Amino acid sequence: MKAAYINQTGLAENILYGDLPTPRPSPTQCLVKVGAVSLNPVDTYIRSGMVPMPLPFPFIVGCDLAGTVVEMGPEVKRFKVGERVWGTNQGLLGRQGTFAEFCAVDECWLYPIPSGVSDEQAAAISLVGITAHLGLVRDARLQRGETIFVNGGSGGVGSTVVQMATAIGARVIATAGSDRKVELCRGLGADHLINYKTQNIETELKKIAPAGVNVWWETLREPNFDLAVTSLAARGRMILMAGREARPPFPVGPFYVKGCSLHGFVMFMATPEEQRHSAEDINRWLAEGKLKANIDRVMPLSEAATAHRLQEESTIGKSGMLSGKIVLKP
Ligand SMILES: NC(=O)c1ccc[n+]([C@@H]2O[C@H](COP(=O)([O-])OP(=O)(O)OC[C@H]3O[C@@H](n4cnc5c(N)ncnc54)[C@H](OP(=O)(O)O)[C@@H]3O)[C@@H](O)[C@H]2O)c1
């Protein structure tokens, strides 16, 4: 089969595109004929070696996939051959990745694709969808009628958080870095938008939510805790999910006096049961049309190295070039 893989960590150019043996499913795995995959910033950190992982070389890059079950092990219970599935959490913790024509995935990491939803959509929502759901529902316990602030509302995670928070019935305030991205976030359901390049977030938040926000979702790798804690309401919750090297100062006093809480997590450490619970809500919202992946562009899988470079320049280099997800097709 064709696959995008590395023989050692390093630059995006280390990604080769060529033939590897088609995997065989283990007793609990489905062999998925891949229809689409999507790219996440973590894929670039693993490929570069910035986030150390046990990597079975040749290592196929990628976490997300959507496609069709073509074969399965004798112990698989939840799926049938011919069923369309999506999943994430591959290419992590020693598991092979998804950027290939076929992928053997343990059934505990797979979910059915609702009818009417394309492989491109299902792949692009997978990792960011589960991340957004874990943060909003399991950790922040966002309630209908509450106010949430999403710093970075146009990105892969942020655009999903905006839509899910809207589906939950919260009032959503989001930031974006251009007028075009402001309008994109409005289209996703955000009630109030702040252009972080031309407006002052603190001043705008004081006007929009004078009593503070109930949840602050931070997508930046260098959070500004002074601003976040000042802007949180009493018993406010802050979600942290980026910035492994960040060591910013923290305003202890105002934080505990207001009874706030901090919730940090990485989605790939959530259990299969937690992730399946998230996937069930994601599937319901996809089927109801309340959730749609924010896809920036679709590329051939053979251009995986170019896609990695683009993602890296956008997320780490802050080029602003991307607005949402890169999807690739074998
Ligand atoms: N913990 C986990 O499980 C988990 C899961 C997924 C992702 N992550 C991490 O979360 C981060 C975001 O991921 P992603 O996929 O959403 O990346 P992304 O698609 O590249 O989005 C980055 C976002 O940051 C915004 N941004 C950049 N500079 C900003 C600033 N100064 N103020 C406000 N917003 C700013 C961008 O806005 P504009 O484009 O509008 O400028 C964009 O919306 C990454 O570091 C990723 O590794 C963690």
Side-chain angles (χ1 to χ4, degrees):
M1 66 172 185
K2 292 285 184 227
Y5 63 96
I6 54 171
N7 287 318
Q8 58 185 42
T9 57
L11 297 174
E13 288 67 31
N14 280 22
I15 298 175
L16 305 171
Y17 183 74
D19 293 311
L20 286 183
T22 303
R24 307 296 314 153
S26 75
T28 57
Q29 283 182 329
C30 294
L31 183 67
V32 179
K33 182 174 192 318
V34 176
V37 297
S38 86
L39 184 55
N40 294 285
V42 72
D43 300 4
T44 70
Y45 314 153
I46 293 170
R47 182 263 305 148
S48 70
M50 193 167 110
V51 169
M53 281 276 168
L55 301 177
F57 291 115
F59 172 68
I60 299 171
V61 295
C63 302
D64 297 344
L65 87 166
T68 307
V69 177
V70 290
E71 198 183 325
M72 53 196 209
E75 291 168 29
V76 170
K77 295 190 178 60
R78 294 172 38 242
F79 297 101
K80 292 195 288 284
V81 168
E83 203 168 342
R84 292 176 62 230
V85 291
W86 64 273
T88 180
N89 229 17
Q90 303 308 296
L92 291 154
L93 307 173
R95 293 186 283 274
Q96 273 293 3
T98 56
F99 279 36
E101 287 179 302
F102 294 90
C103 189
V105 184
D106 202 286
E107 71 163 333
C108 72
W109 304 117
L110 289 173
Y111 322 103
I113 298 181
S115 66
V117 175
S118 66
D119 284 352
E120 288 89 334
Q121 274 289 322
I125 206 72
S126 47
L127 185 144
V128 291
I130 288 182
T131 302
H133 190 276
L134 288 169
L136 286 177
V137 176
R138 183 194 65 181
D139 296 348
R141 295 171 186 255
L142 179 70
Q143 303 297 310
R144 169 177 293 279
E146 285 193 319
T147 299
I148 178 171
F149 173 74
V150 186
N151 203 18
S154 69
V157 175
S159 60
T160 315
V161 173
V162 167
Q163 294 179 74
M164 281 190 190
T166 304
I168 288 169
R171 181 169 73 125
V172 180
I173 310 166
T175 61
S178 69
D179 291 345
R180 186 178 67 80
K181 289 179 178 179
V182 159
E183 287 318 312
L184 184 144
C185 292
R186 211 185 301 284
L188 298 175
D191 301 284
H192 304 274
L193 273 307
I194 301 171
N195 182 329
Y196 71 81
K197 290 198 175 143
T198 58
Q199 292 177 289
N200 180 282
I201 296 177
E202 187 171 1
T203 312
E204 296 307 312
L205 277 180
K206 277 195 183 125
K207 288 188 232 160
I208 302 165
V213 300
N214 305 104
V215 174
W216 179 292
W217 187 297
E218 186 58 74
T219 72
L220 291 194
R221 295 156 53 78
E222 288 142 25
N224 179 342
F225 282 121
D226 260 324
L227 174 60
V229 173
T230 302
S231 308
L232 278 172
R235 302 205 176 206
R237 291 90 75 196
M238 181 172 182
I239 296 290
L240 287 176
M241 30 69 76
R244 281 170 188 250
E245 291 80 31
R247 300 287 185 276
F250 188 84
V252 175
F255 178 80
Y256 80 84
V257 169
K258 281 204 272 191
C260 297
S261 56
L262 258 185
H263 303 265
F265 72 100
V266 280
M267 64 80 63
F268 62 79
M269 296 304 285
T271 64
E273 291 69 32
E274 287 175 313
Q275 299 208 22
R276 194 180 315 157
H277 174 64
S278 295
E280 284 164 5
D281 275 349
I282 291 167
N283 270 352
R284 185 164 49 79
W285 286 325
L286 284 173
E288 291 171 357
K290 292 181 177 167
L291 184 61
K292 202 165 172 279
N294 176 25
I295 298 175
D296 181 277
R297 67 190 71 192
V298 180
M299 299 169 67
L301 186 61
S302 55
E303 291 179 20
T306 306
H308 263 238
R309 210 168 31 245
L310 256 176
Q311 184 74 57
E312 214 160 43
E313 286 166 5
S314 190
T315 308
I316 301 179
K318 295 198 173 172
S319 68
M321 213 138 51
L322 290 178
S323 174
K325 309 293 299 168
I326 301 178
V327 167
L328 299 103
K329 291 179 63 113

